[in-house]
Amino acid sequence: MWQILKQIVRAGIPSEAAPQANDGGRTGPAQIQADLLAILGRALCIREVDAGSCNGCELEIQALSNPYYNIEGMGIKFVASPRHADMLLVTGPVTKNMEAALQIAYAAVPDPKLVVAVGECACSGGMFGESYASCGQVSNVIPVDVTVPGCPPPPIDILRGILAAVTARHEDAEGREAM
């Protein structure tokens, strides 16, 4: 027992530093939260929809909630109902059985709504493409604002996609107000 404790003291804490995201000049979680509050006036609420994925993307999305990324600490939270959401985060190729459900979820999200397609299957249909059982990519069923390619994409890329969608929507709104 004592030998193990001595080894722990000698080695220190061998963990790696938190990721330094290249997210367009944001300096950290406090700045991201301040930007979200400035844009939305409240927390960003996301409804995640699995439209037929292998669950690889869901594992990476779930990693956003762990202490390493701490997405809730940045003012971003997941909700159970699309009626309470600002954004749909969709994974997987849209199966024929999920097509109507995805359209209903999209219609239930209040305007202005955002859609982020996460993963290669959601962005392009992946290896499934369009077939008798699959509608293919998400944009074949509902409008998509941002795509996050990868199989599966790392959590930091998913976070960048979420922030890109919010920022793009904010810039569009500012551009319309200026006219």
Side-chain angles (χ1 to χ4, degrees), residues 39-40 42-47 49 79 81-90 100-117 138 141-146 161-162 164-170 172-173 176:
I39 293 169
L40 298 172
R42 56 182 162 43
L44 174 65
C45 297
I46 300 174
R47 170 67 173 140
V49 177
V79 294
S81 171
R83 296 183 192 281
H84 302 141
D86 303 307
M87 174 186 290
L88 284 180
L89 201 63
V90 185
L102 182 59
Q103 290 170 339
I104 291 168
Y106 179 77
V109 175
D111 289 326
K113 54 187 100 184
L114 297 168
V115 177
V116 176
V138 175
V141 179
I142 60 173
V144 173
D145 296 299
V146 174
I162 291 168
V166 172
T167 304
R169 180 58 55 105
H170 177 63
D172 287 347
R176 279 185 256 134

Side-chain angles (χ1 to χ4, degrees), residues 1-7:
M1 172 79 169
W2 290 109
Q3 288 179 342
I4 293 173
L5 290 174
K6 286 179 190 177
Q7 184 178 355

Side-chain angles (χ1 to χ4, degrees), residues 46-174:
I46 300 174
R47 170 67 173 140
E48 195 273 328
V49 177
D50 178 351
S53 78
C54 67
N55 290 331
C57 294
E58 281 74 18
L59 291 172
E60 300 300 319
I61 290 169
Q62 186 63 32
L64 289 172
S65 297
N66 71 25
Y68 193 72
Y69 294 100
N70 191 21
I71 197 170
E72 290 234 1
M74 295 180 210
I76 302 171
K77 63 181 183 174
F78 290 95
V79 294
S81 171
R83 296 183 192 281
H84 302 141
D86 303 307
M87 174 186 290
L88 284 180
L89 201 63
V90 185
T91 62
V94 182
T95 63
K96 294 286 186 180
N97 291 338
M98 281 298 294
E99 181 179 12
L102 182 59
Q103 290 170 339
I104 291 168
Y106 179 77
V109 175
D111 289 326
K113 54 187 100 184
L114 297 168
V115 177
V116 176
V118 176
E120 199 60 41
C121 295
C123 296
S124 66
M127 65 181 192
F128 305 101
E130 293 182 48
S131 69
Y132 70 93
S134 174
C135 298
Q137 61 191 357
V138 175
S139 62
N140 291 346
V141 179
I142 60 173
V144 173
D145 296 299
V146 174
T147 59
V148 182
C151 187
I156 196 71
D157 287 349
I158 298 170
L159 181 57
R160 285 185 186 126
I162 291 168
L163 296 175
V166 172
T167 304
R169 180 58 55 105
H170 177 63
E171 289 170 357
D172 287 347
E174 282 183 343

